[in-house]
C-alpha cells in the first residue's frame, strides 16, 4: 500500500482479497461482536433449518406413513423439529433481530465514520488538489459503512452455503454417493458459465460508466436548485436535452453489446446444467426407488430436494466469490485513505508557539502544485502589528502565499519563520491558532449563530461575541433575531433558521475572526460581498487593530491605501513593494491597476452621491470611502 498520495495499483492476489475483507470484518467484530456473529451465521442457520424442516422431515414422514408407524411417533418427531429447530430460531431469533441488531449496526456505522472523519480532519490540504485521491476520499466517506454491511452479508452467505453443502452433501453421501456426480456436473457447468457471464457484465458496466456519469450529471443539472435560475434565463435547456439523450443512447448501445453471449451463457446455466441435469437426476432416483428398490420413496423425495438445495448452494459460490473480489477493490480505496501518512504535522519535540504577535518572514519561498510553479523565490517580512496588502491579478499566487503562512501547505523550497523560528518546529495546532482568517470562499455551518462564531467546543462568551459583532457590523442584523446567538443559520435543520444575504454572511464570518482574537488576521477578499459603506468601515476597523498583524488580499485597491506595505504579485513573483504613495509614484502595474479602478470608483461616487443627496450621512460615508 503506497502512502505518498498516489492510488495503489489494483492487484487480484488471493492474499489481498482475503486481507481486505478481513480488515472490515475486524472493525465490525470490534464494535459489535454479537451483531457481526448473527450476520455471519444467519444464512447457515437458515439453510440448516430449511433442510431439517422442509426436506428431511417431509421424507421421514412419508417413510413413516409407508412403514405404518404409530401416529404418536410422527407427532412427536414433528413437534420436536418445530420446537427445537424452527421455534428456537423463529421466536428467539426474531426478538434478538428486532431488539439488538439495529443497535449493533449503528455502532459499526458510527465507528467507521468517526475513523474516517478524524483522518479527514488531519488530511493534508494538498490531497484535495489530487483529483484521483480526492474522488476516492469522497467515495470512502460515503461508502464505507455500507461496504461493511455488504462484506458481512457476503461472508455470511459464503459460510451459510458452505455449511449447507457440508450438511446436505454429508446426507447424500450416506444415502447414495453416486448421486453426487449429478451435483458435481451441475456445479462445474454453472460455475464456469456464471464466471464468464459475470466477467462480461463487468466489462459492459465499465464501458457504460463514463456515459452514465455524464447522463447523471446532466440529470442533476436539470432538476437541482443550484442551476434552476440559469436554466430558466438561458437557452441551454435544448443543449442539455441533447447531451442527455446522447449519453442515454450510448449507455443503451454499450448495454446491448455482449447480450447475445450473456443469453447463451444463461441458457447453458439454467437449462442444460440446471433443468436438464436436475431431470436426469430425478430419473436416476426413480430407477433406484421403483426398479432396483434400494431407496424408500420418502428418501427419494428427500434426496431429490436435497440435490436442489446443494446445487443452489454450490451455485451461490459462483456469485459470492466475485463479490469478495469486488469488495477488495473498494476496500483498497478505504485502506489507502486511512493509511495515508499526513505530511504536514507537529514534530516530535514541538516548540511552544509564542502567545503574542511575532514577525513573520518568507525566505526564498517557492511552491508548486504538481508541475505548476505557483510561487517563485518569494521573500518578505511582516513585522509585529504591521498591516500589509497583497495585490495582483487572478492566479498571481496571493491566496497560496497566505496558505503557506498558515502552514496549510509546506513550501516546495525555502523557509517560513515566525518569531525567528522555522514554523515547522512549532506544534501544528498551536501555530495555526495564531491566525484568524476570513477566506473568500468562507463557509457557514447549519448551526446556531453562536456556534458559527465560536467554531469551537468551548461555550460562547456572549459579551465577547457581542463586541465582535458590533465591530464587524453584524450587530445590526443580530438584534433582529428573536433568539439572538441561539438563532439557527440556514433552514437545513431548523425551520425557523435565518437565511443571510451575502453581505450579512460575510459580516458573520468577520465576527468569527474578531471573536477568535488571534495575533494575526488574514483577510482574503473580506469585503467582496459588502456595500461601499460597510467596506469602508471594515477597512478602518482592520487597520485600527494596533495589536494585530493584518494581511489583506483584495482586488478592491481602496483597501490597500491604508496598508503600511503593499506587495504586488505577478506570476508567482513579487514585482513591486512599498506604500500606496510610493507605488503610485513608481507608475508600475499597481499604479495602472489603481488608476483603472479609481475611474470606476469616481463614476459610482457621482451616481451614489446624486441618489443619496437627501441623505448627508450616507453621502459623507461614500465620499470618505473614495477619498
Amino acid at each position: 500500500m503506497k502512502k505518498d498520495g498516489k492510488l495503489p495499483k489494483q492487484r487480484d492476489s488471493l492474499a489481498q482479497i482475503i486481507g481486505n475483507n478481513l480488515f472490515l470484518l475486524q472493525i465490525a467484530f470490534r464494535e459489535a461482536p454479537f451483531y457481526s456473529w448473527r450476520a455471519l451465521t444467519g444464512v447457515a442457520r437458515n439453510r440448516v433449518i430449511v433442510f431439517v424442516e422442509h426436506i428431511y422431515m417431509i421424507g421421514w414422514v412419508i417413510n413413516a406413513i409407508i412403514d405404518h408407524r404409530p401416529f404418536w411417533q410422527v407427532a412427536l418427531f414433528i413437534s420436536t423439529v418445530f420446537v427445537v429447530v424452527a421455534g428456537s430460531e423463529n421466536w428467539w431469533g426474531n426478538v434478538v433481530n428486532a431488539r439488538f441488531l439495529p443497535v449493533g449496526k449503528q455502532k459499526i456505522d458510527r465507528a467507521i465514520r468517526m475513523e474516517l472523519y478524524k483522518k479527514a480532519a488531519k488530511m493534508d490540504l494538498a490531497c484535495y488538489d489530487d483529483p484521483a485521491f480526492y474522488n476516492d476520499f469522497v467515495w470512502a466517506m460515503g461508502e464505507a459503512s455500507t461496504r461493511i454491511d455488504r462484506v458481512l452479508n457476503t461472508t455470511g452467505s459464503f459460510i451459510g452455503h458452505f455449511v449447507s453443502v457440508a450438511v446436505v452433501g454429508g446426507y447424500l453421501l450416506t444415502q447414495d454417493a453416486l448421486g453426487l456426480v449429478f451435483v458435481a456436473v451441475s456445479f462445474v457447468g454453472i460455475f464456469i458459465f456464471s464466471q464468464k457471464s459475470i466477467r462480461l457484465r463487468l466489462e459492459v458496466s465499465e464501458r457504460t460508466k463514463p456515459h452514465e456519469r455524464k447522463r447523471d450529471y446532466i440529470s442533476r443539472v436539470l432538476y437541482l436548485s443550484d442551476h434552476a435560475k440559469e436554466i430558466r434565463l438561458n437557452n441551454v435547456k435544448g443543449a442539455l436535452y441533447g447531451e442527455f439523450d446522447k449519453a442515454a443512447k450510448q449507455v443503451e448501445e454499450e448495454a446491448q453489446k455482449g447480450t447475445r453471449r450473456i443469453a447463451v451463457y444463461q441458457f447453458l446455466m439454467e437449462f442444460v446444467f440446471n433443468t436438464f441435469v436436475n431431470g436426469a437426476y430425478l430419473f436416476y432416483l426413480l430407477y433406484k426407488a421403483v426398479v432396483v428398490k434400494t431407496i424408500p420413496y420418502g428418501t427419494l423425495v428427500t434426496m431429490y430436494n436435497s440435490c436442489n438445495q446443494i446445487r443452489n448452494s454450490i451455485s451461490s459460490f459462483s456469485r459470492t466469490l466475485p463479490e469478495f473480489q469486488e469488495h477488495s477493490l473498494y476496500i483498497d480505496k478505504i485502506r489507502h485513505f486511512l493509511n495515508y501518512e499526513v505530511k504536514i504535522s507537529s514534530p516530535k519535540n514541538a516548540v511552544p508557539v509564542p502567545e503574542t504577535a511575532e514577525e513573520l518572514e518568507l525566505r526564498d519561498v517557492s511552491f508548486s502544485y504538481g508541475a505548476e510553479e505557483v510561487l517563485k523565490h518569494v521573500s518578505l517580512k511582516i513585522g509585529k502589528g504591521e498591516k500589509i496588502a497583497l495585490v495582483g491579478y487572478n492566479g498571481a499566487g496571493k491566496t497560496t502565499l497566505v496558505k503557506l503562512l498558515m502552514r496549510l501547505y509546506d513550501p516546495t523550497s525555502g523557509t517560513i519563520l515566525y518569531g525567528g523560528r522555522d514554523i515547522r518546529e512549532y506544534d501544528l495546532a498551536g501555530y495555526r491558532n495564531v491566525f484568524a482568517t476570513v477566506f473568500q470562499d468562507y463557509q457557514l455551518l447549519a448551526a446556531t449563530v453562536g456556534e458559527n462564531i465560536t467554531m469551537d467546543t468551548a461555550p460562547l462568551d456572549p459579551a465577547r461575541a457581542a463586541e465582535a459583532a458590533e465591530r464587524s457590523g453584524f450587530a445590526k442584523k443580530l438584534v433582529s433575531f428573536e433568539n439572538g446567538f441561539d438563532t439557527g443559520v440556514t433552514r437545513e435543520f431548523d425551520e425557523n433558521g435565518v437565511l443571510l444575504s451575502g453581505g450579512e454572511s460575510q459580516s458573520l464570518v468577520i465576527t468569527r475572526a474578531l471573536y477568535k482574537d488571534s495575533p494575526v488576521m488574514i483577510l482574503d477578499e473580506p469585503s467582496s460581498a459588502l456595500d461601499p459603506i460597510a467596506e469602508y468601515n471594515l477597512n478602518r476597523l482592520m487597520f485600527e487593530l494596533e495589536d494585530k498583524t493584518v494581511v489583506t488580499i483584495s482586488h478592491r485597491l481602496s483597501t490597500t491605501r491604508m496598508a503600511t506595505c503593499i506587495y504586488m504579485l505577478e506570476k508567482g513573483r513579487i514585482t513591486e513593494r512599498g506604500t500606496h504613495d510610493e507605488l503610485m509614484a513608481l507608475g508600475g502595474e499597481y499604479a495602472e491597476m489603481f488608476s483603472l479602478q479609481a475611474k470606476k470608483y469616481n463614476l459610482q461616487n457621482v451616481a451614489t452621491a446624486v441618489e443619496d443627496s437627501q441623505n448627508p450621512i450616507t453621502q459623507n460615508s461614500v465620499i470618505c470611502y473614495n477619498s
Side-chain angles (χ1 to χ4, degrees):
M1 185 78 63
K2 294 183 179 181
K3 301 180 181 180
D4 57 359
K6 295 182 180 179
L7 289 175
K9 294 182 178 180
Q10 301 293 357
R11 295 169 293 171
D12 294 324
S13 68
L14 180 61
Q16 184 190 20
I17 293 172
I18 294 174
N20 281 337
N21 283 273
L22 283 177
F23 170 74
L24 288 191
L25 289 175
Q26 288 171 350
I27 294 176
F29 270 94
R30 182 189 69 204
E31 300 300 328
F34 183 66
Y35 168 82
S36 303
W37 174 80
R38 292 284 298 180
L40 293 187
T41 60
V43 175
R45 296 193 308 271
N46 177 264
R47 293 294 87 195
V48 171
I49 289 173
V50 168
F51 173 73
V52 174
E53 184 179 359
H54 299 285
I55 297 176
Y56 181 79
M57 185 177 70
I58 292 174
W60 188 92
V61 170
I62 292 173
N63 285 336
I65 294 172
I66 294 173
D67 295 340
H68 301 290
R69 290 195 180 188
F71 175 77
W72 68 267
Q73 289 184 2
V74 176
L76 179 62
F77 178 78
I78 293 175
S79 300
T80 302
V81 168
F82 275 105
V83 171
V84 176
V85 179
S88 61
E89 179 62 23
N90 292 339
W91 303 335
W92 182 78
N94 286 334
V95 172
V96 169
N97 291 345
R99 176 66 180 87
F100 297 107
L101 296 198
V103 177
K105 181 181 176 68
Q106 292 304 316
K107 285 182 177 179
I108 295 173
D109 179 75
R110 180 185 62 190
I112 188 65
R113 285 179 184 274
M114 283 301 298
E115 195 166 343
L116 289 167
Y117 294 157
K118 289 177 180 178
K119 188 70 177 184
K122 297 177 181 178
M123 192 171 68
D124 293 322
L125 199 64
C127 293
Y128 291 88
D129 304 320
D130 182 343
F133 188 96
Y134 182 66
N135 286 340
D136 280 0
F137 156 59
V138 172
W139 181 91
M141 297 299 289
E143 180 79 7
S145 59
T146 304
R147 188 60 56 173
I148 288 184
D149 262 350
R150 294 183 66 180
V151 169
L152 282 170
N153 291 336
T154 300
T155 309
S157 295
F158 180 86
I159 294 172
H161 296 310
F162 179 83
V163 170
S164 177
V165 170
V167 172
V168 180
Y171 170 78
L172 290 175
L173 192 63
T174 61
Q175 301 298 317
D176 180 24
L178 185 61
L180 290 176
V181 173
F182 291 90
V183 176
V185 171
S186 178
F187 164 69
V188 171
I190 291 175
F191 182 80
I192 291 174
F193 289 104
S194 68
Q195 292 302 299
K196 290 179 176 292
S197 179
I198 289 170
R199 280 196 295 270
L200 190 55
R201 290 179 190 276
L202 287 174
E203 291 174 7
V204 172
S205 176
E206 287 298 319
R207 291 197 301 267
T208 59
K209 277 181 180 178
H211 307 305
E212 287 176 343
R213 283 198 296 269
K214 185 174 183 179
R215 180 195 64 188
D216 295 342
Y217 167 75
I218 296 171
S219 298
R220 294 195 302 273
V221 170
L222 286 169
Y223 73 77
L224 289 179
S225 62
D226 300 15
H227 307 279
K229 294 188 292 294
E230 284 79 4
I231 288 175
R232 283 154 179 78
L233 295 173
N234 297 284
N235 295 321
V236 73
K237 295 186 289 295
L240 291 172
Y241 296 154
E243 289 297 318
F244 174 84
D245 191 57
K246 180 181 176 181
K249 286 181 178 178
Q250 288 173 323
V251 171
E252 293 172 12
E253 290 172 4
E254 293 294 347
Q256 288 176 356
K257 295 178 182 179
T259 53
R260 181 177 299 178
R261 277 191 293 163
I262 291 175
V264 172
Y265 297 154
Q266 290 296 123
F267 172 79
L268 292 172
M269 285 189 297
E270 298 300 329
F271 180 76
V272 176
F273 292 102
N274 190 353
T275 304
F276 180 78
V277 174
N278 194 37
Y281 182 60
L282 179 59
F283 279 111
Y284 169 76
L285 290 177
L286 288 170
Y287 173 79
K288 298 279 288 185
V290 177
V291 179
V292 183
K293 298 184 184 298
T294 54
I295 59 174
Y297 291 117
T299 304
L300 179 151
V301 173
T302 301
M303 291 178 66
Y304 179 72
N305 290 332
S306 296
C307 180
N308 285 331
Q309 178 169 335
I310 196 172
R311 185 174 58 251
N312 291 336
S313 295
I314 292 176
S315 298
S316 296
F317 282 114
S318 65
R319 295 187 296 271
T320 302
L321 294 176
E323 287 181 12
F324 282 118
Q325 188 174 15
E326 177 191 339
H327 295 329
S328 178
L329 294 175
Y330 286 110
I331 296 168
D332 245 354
K333 301 177 188 295
I334 298 174
R335 298 184 75 178
H336 176 64
F337 171 67
L338 290 174
N339 291 341
Y340 172 79
E341 291 183 354
V342 177
K343 297 177 179 61
I344 299 179
S345 59
S346 300
K348 290 183 179 179
N349 299 315
V351 177
V353 181
E355 296 182 0
T356 57
E358 299 290 338
E359 181 183 76
L360 275 163
E361 181 181 1
L362 279 76
R363 289 183 183 172
D364 196 28
V365 168
S366 297
F367 180 77
S368 300
Y369 290 106
E372 180 186 4
E373 193 171 25
V374 181
L375 290 177
K376 305 170 186 177
H377 307 288
V378 173
S379 296
L380 62 86
K381 288 184 179 181
I382 307 172
K384 300 179 184 179
E386 190 175 0
K387 313 299 189 283
I388 75 159
L390 303 175
V391 300
Y393 295 103
N394 290 336
K398 306 182 296 297
T399 299
T400 299
L401 191 151
V402 298
K403 287 180 179 178
L404 289 170
L405 284 177
M406 293 180 288
R407 211 186 167 204
L408 294 174
Y409 295 101
D410 275 339
T412 306
S413 63
T415 308
I416 301 176
L417 301 99
Y418 182 68
R421 188 184 291 273
D422 191 326
I423 63 174
R424 289 171 291 194
E425 298 178 20
Y426 290 120
D427 171 72
L428 181 62
Y431 176 73
R432 286 178 177 170
N433 200 45
V434 166
F435 301 91
T437 58
V438 178
F439 286 118
Q440 185 176 7
D441 55 348
Y442 63 85
Q443 298 294 324
L444 294 178
L445 302 179
T448 66
V449 171
E451 289 166 336
N452 270 282
I453 292 173
T454 61
M455 296 292 284
D456 200 340
T457 54
L460 178 77
D461 182 341
R464 181 173 149 200
E467 181 184 358
E470 185 66 36
R471 298 171 77 183
S472 70
F474 185 69
K476 295 178 181 178
K477 185 66 178 178
L478 182 63
V479 295
S480 68
F481 300 154
E482 182 179 350
N483 295 320
F485 291 116
D486 293 326
T487 302
V489 177
T490 80
R491 293 174 184 163
E492 184 85 16
F493 308 111
D494 184 355
E495 61 182 13
N496 297 317
V498 294
L499 301 177
L500 301 176
S501 68
E504 292 164 349
S505 298
Q506 201 160 37
S507 294
L508 176 55
V509 175
I510 294 167
T511 304
R512 174 194 297 169
L514 293 170
Y515 179 87
K516 189 176 181 181
D517 197 28
S518 297
V520 181
M521 299 275 291
I522 292 185
L523 311 169
D524 187 354
E525 292 292 343
S527 58
S528 59
L530 301 180
D531 59 59
I533 300 172
E535 181 184 5
Y536 168 75
N537 290 331
L538 172 63
N539 293 337
R540 186 180 60 184
L541 166 66
M542 291 297 106
F543 290 100
E544 286 177 354
L545 297 173
E546 296 180 359
D547 59 333
K548 307 289 185 187
T549 300
V550 179
V551 179
T552 301
I553 297 174
S554 181
H555 288 93
R556 293 184 180 179
L557 299 187
S558 60
T559 304
T560 64
R561 299 186 62 177
M562 290 179 272
T564 53
C565 188
I566 301 165
Y567 294 88
M568 180 76 189
L569 277 80
E570 186 175 357
K571 295 181 179 179
R573 297 181 184 274
I574 295 177
T575 56
E576 300 175 17
R577 69 181 72 196
T579 64
H580 170 77
D581 292 337
E582 289 170 346
L583 294 182
M584 291 299 293
L586 185 64
E589 286 287 336
Y590 175 84
E592 181 182 356
M593 184 185 295
F594 186 88
S595 298
L596 289 172
Q597 290 192 17
K599 293 178 182 179
K600 179 182 176 183
Y601 293 153
N602 289 332
L603 290 173
Q604 290 178 342
N605 180 45
V606 171
T608 305
V610 171
E611 291 175 2
D612 295 337
S613 60
Q614 302 303 316
N615 189 340
I617 297 177
T618 304
Q619 185 179 7
N620 290 338
S621 298
V622 175
I623 293 172
C624 187
Y625 162 77
N626 290 291
S627 61

